[in-house]
Amino acid sequence: MCWYVLELDVPAGEPPPGSSARGQALLSVFDGKLTTYRRLAEAALAKLARCFPGMRGDWTARAALPGGDFPWDAVGMVRDGLRRRYPFLSEATARRLVRAYGTLATEMLGDARDAADLGRCPGADLTERELDWLVRTEWARTAEDVSWRRSKLGLRVSEAEAAAVDEYLARMPATVP
């Protein structure tokens, strides 16, 4: 069942973008679900294919997401491995980090030897180390970026915690990776 609608608007009489003549097109996406994001993305690219001759075909169904380079039933093993490497992590924190970052959680935690190496925790189990990593790798700029765009931590972050995250992020250099 399709949970989204895609509409490609190419003005009548204009060549599609990507052809030798310059044209404009607008792809509108209506609805969609998190669980169908790959199918939606591939359908969107299929609609845009006429605008971008030479674009390669579907490939995401066979590709692991960043940090998802392990079998679907090995989440527990990845979490346990993270806890062995970083024994100061609680079970809940290790579970959250593996759910959010998969094997990239190790990259994010880096050389941390204890909880103090992760910096302060402004709320919802977020540490300054994780916030730094989100800014560097995912271009997070605000508490909303962190708690809603990248995760659903917003369901657990109080207004005061969100303000503390925003305050921390505001002190960071405004450079884009």
Side-chain angles (χ1 to χ4, degrees):
M1 174 169 242
C2 184
W3 294 100
Y4 51 83
V5 174
L6 302 172
E7 289 185 10
L8 181 62
D9 181 26
V10 177
E14 285 196 32
S19 62
S20 57
R22 304 287 281 186
Q24 294 183 1
L26 172 68
L27 177 66
S28 298
V29 180
F30 300 96
D31 211 350
K33 292 175 50 174
L34 183 60
T35 56
T36 60
Y37 70 92
R38 281 190 192 208
R39 191 169 295 142
L40 188 153
E42 287 185 348
L45 289 174
K47 281 262 192 199
L48 291 170
R50 70 179 236 200
C51 300
F52 298 98
M55 185 171 66
R56 69 180 180 173
D58 296 352
W59 60 271
T60 64
R62 298 174 304 281
L65 293 172
D69 50 345
F70 56 90
W72 67 270
D73 58 351
V75 173
M77 288 180 8
V78 175
R79 181 200 58 233
D80 294 345
L82 192 67
R83 289 201 71 210
R84 276 191 302 280
R85 183 163 179 180
Y86 304 98
F88 56 88
L89 293 177
S90 71
E91 174 81 19
T93 297
R95 183 175 49 251
R96 181 183 71 77
L97 294 177
V98 169
R99 285 182 178 170
Y101 309 113
T103 57
L104 293 178
T106 302
E107 180 182 315
M108 187 267 295
L109 293 168
D111 62 354
R113 291 179 310 260
D114 55 38
D117 287 340
L118 302 180
R120 290 182 314 119
C121 180
D125 200 31
L126 285 166
T127 63
E128 291 174 337
R129 167 113 20 144
E130 185 175 359
L131 291 171
D132 293 346
W133 192 78
L134 287 167
V135 167
R136 207 172 45 255
T137 64
E138 306 219 358
W139 302 0
R141 295 292 179 246
T142 65
E144 187 171 322
D145 284 344
V146 172
S147 59
W148 290 109
R149 182 180 55 84
R150 177 58 178 90
S151 70
K152 296 298 176 242
L153 286 173
L155 296 169
R156 300 183 329 193
V157 175
S158 71
E159 285 184 33
E161 291 169 329
V165 169
D166 271 330
E167 181 183 313
Y168 178 77
L169 294 174
R171 290 192 311 258
M172 296 186 75
T175 59
V176 175

